[in-house]
């Protein structure tokens, strides 16, 4: 079974890890990562969502945060602080190495796809991790304080600003990576991981040609709601949905994805929303979606695959 997972953020990385654990052959998994969060800092290209997937699938991720490297040190950042004031974005010493090697590869002329594959191989990762695009795209967030770069909004200002709009700068001229298109074309199952539908999955879908590739794919497509009981488990998804006029619920997620996916997996606490979601033309599966352990990740992965296979069998 060829499986493609669309992922961004900690929730997406966790379920991608679950698929890695659940599949008989981890090489059958391709993770398409959001790159609209990417930005430059200290002359280095940083890809937060790709890195979270890299660290999670390699077993390096900090379990306390879901991002960064467990046990990392911060001597480099401390010295940067002495020179230039208190840093606003946390980068560990081993994390810096990832960005140094990535930036060197990009400056050499390698594509982001090639650089990411090289990093993954070096970390012993079997599944393919591919960017949504090799072209730069930047998520910009409209707030009462003005238009903010996503990392400034999310990290620098701790996503405290009201969200009035979201714009993906550079998206009109971006092209899907060939690796992503190939994976979608050959997939049996596609899963939208429990990632922010606005700024994690949204940019992937916004790359010109990506929605068409999803529609033309022979795969059954399901999503896992990142909203549980009217709240996001991590990050600003809830306030973004509210600020942009969407219902902050699994139904709100379903309404965004309607027409793209065949089914939605929702948490048990949201079971009462199933009839409304089904009225959108989607099949619904109710289960435990909160991933507190590796076993939870693998179980949700197996449930997602079984749900997709059932939908495929039902036609």
């Amino acid at each position: 079974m060829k499986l493609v997972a669309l992922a961004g953020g900690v929730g997406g990385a966790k379920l991608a890890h679950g698929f890695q654990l659940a599949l008989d052959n981890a090489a059958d998994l391709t993770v398409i990562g959001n790159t609209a969060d990417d930005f430059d800092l200290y002359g280095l290209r940083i890809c937060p969502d790709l890195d979270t997937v890299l660290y999670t699938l390699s077993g390096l991720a900090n379990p306390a945060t879901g991002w960064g490297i467990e046990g990392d040190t911060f001597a480099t950042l401390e010295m940067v602080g002495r020179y230039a004031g208190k840093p606003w974005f946390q980068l560990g010493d081993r994390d810096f190495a990832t960005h140094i090697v990535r930036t060197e590869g990009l400056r050499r002329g390698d594509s982001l796809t090639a650089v990411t594959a090289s990093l993954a191989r070096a970390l012993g990762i079997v599944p393919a991790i591919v960017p949504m695009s090799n072209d730069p795209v930047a998520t910009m967030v409209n707030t009462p304080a003005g238009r903010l770069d996503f990392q400034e909004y999310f990290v620098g200002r701790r996503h405290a600003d009201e969200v009035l709009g979201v714009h993906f700068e550079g998206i009109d001229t971006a092209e899907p990576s060939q690796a992503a298109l190939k994976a979608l074309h050959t997939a049996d199952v596609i899963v939208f991981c429990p990632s922010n539908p606005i700024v994690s999955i949204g940019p992937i879908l916004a790359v010109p040609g990506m929605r068409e590739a999803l529609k033309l794919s022979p795969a059954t497509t399901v999503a896992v709601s990142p909203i549980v009981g009217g709240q996001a488990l991590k990050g600003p998804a809830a306030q973004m949905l509210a600020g942009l006029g969407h219902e902050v619920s699994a139904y709100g997620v379903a309404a965004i994805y309607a027409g793209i996916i065949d089914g939605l997996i929702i948490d048990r606490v949201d079971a009462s929303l199933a009839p409304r979601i089904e009225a959108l033309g989607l099949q619904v599966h109710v289960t435990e979606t909160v991933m507190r352990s590796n076993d939870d990740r693998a179980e949700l992965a197996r449930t997602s695959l079984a749900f997709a296979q059932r939908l495929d069998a039902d036609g």
Side-chain angles (χ1 to χ4, degrees):
M1 175 194 297
K2 297 294 185 182
L3 168 66
V4 173
L6 274 58
V10 174
K14 284 183 176 181
L15 185 54
H17 182 223
F19 288 127
Q20 179 180 247
L21 296 172
L23 289 171
D24 292 333
N25 183 3
D28 288 336
L29 170 63
T30 297
V31 182
I32 299 177
N34 167 46
T35 59
D37 291 3
D38 298 3
F39 70 113
D40 295 315
L41 186 65
Y42 308 127
L44 302 175
R45 189 62 173 171
I46 300 173
C47 302
D49 280 357
L50 290 179
D51 291 341
T52 298
V53 175
L54 282 168
Y55 297 154
T56 302
L57 296 194
S58 63
L60 293 174
N62 181 348
T65 60
W67 50 265
I69 296 176
E70 184 177 16
D72 213 347
T73 53
F74 293 87
T76 302
L77 201 65
E78 290 168 3
M79 196 65 184
V80 169
R82 289 187 66 179
Y83 287 129
K86 183 178 180 180
W88 62 274
F89 195 89
Q90 293 295 304
L91 295 172
D93 295 325
R94 285 189 286 169
D95 199 15
F96 261 112
T98 302
H99 311 316
I100 291 169
V101 173
R102 172 187 294 116
T103 303
E104 183 181 53
L106 294 174
R107 288 177 179 168
R108 192 168 55 235
D110 297 339
S111 68
L112 182 58
T113 296
V115 171
T116 304
S118 177
L119 292 171
R121 283 193 301 271
L123 294 178
I125 297 170
V126 175
I129 303 173
V130 303
M132 66 185 198
S133 176
N134 291 308
D135 302 313
V137 176
T139 297
M140 308 298 293
V141 182
N142 296 332
T143 74
R147 177 171 285 189
L148 305 175
D149 175 86
F150 178 76
Q151 295 301 336
E152 181 183 0
Y153 156 78
F154 181 51
V155 179
R157 300 170 67 94
R158 300 180 181 275
H159 52 89
D161 298 270
E162 180 186 1
V163 176
L164 305 176
V166 173
H167 171 71
F168 305 127
E169 197 169 272
I171 199 72
D172 292 340
T173 56
E175 296 181 358
S177 68
Q178 288 301 307
L181 291 178
K182 181 179 178 180
L184 293 172
H185 178 69
T186 58
D188 297 302
V189 175
I190 299 170
V191 178
F192 291 16
C193 291
S195 305
N196 187 318
I198 305 296
V199 294
S200 292
I201 303 298
I204 300 175
L205 300 179
V207 177
M210 194 68 81
R211 284 177 178 262
E212 290 77 6
L214 283 162
K215 290 179 180 179
L216 292 173
S217 174
T220 301
T221 303
V222 300
V224 180
S225 174
I227 302 296
V228 176
Q231 297 182 340
L233 297 178
K234 199 173 185 67
Q239 63 213 70
M240 283 192 155
L241 287 168
L244 297 177
H246 301 285
E247 182 176 311
V248 184
S249 70
Y251 174 84
V253 175
I256 292 173
Y257 291 155
I260 310 172
I261 63 173
D262 302 302
L264 183 70
I265 296 172
I266 65 176
D267 195 83
R268 297 185 193 281
V269 302
D270 296 315
S272 63
L273 295 174
R276 292 180 62 207
I277 295 171
E278 289 169 345
L280 294 172
L282 300 177
Q283 296 296 309
V284 178
H285 183 75
V286 180
T287 189
E288 174 64 50
T289 63
V290 180
M291 296 173 284
R292 299 181 178 88
S293 66
N294 287 346
D295 286 345
D296 290 342
R297 299 176 188 185
E299 182 59 29
L300 182 57
R302 285 189 288 266
T303 297
S304 301
L305 293 174
F307 178 47
Q309 290 172 319
R310 177 167 62 82
L311 293 183
D312 182 54
D314 291 345

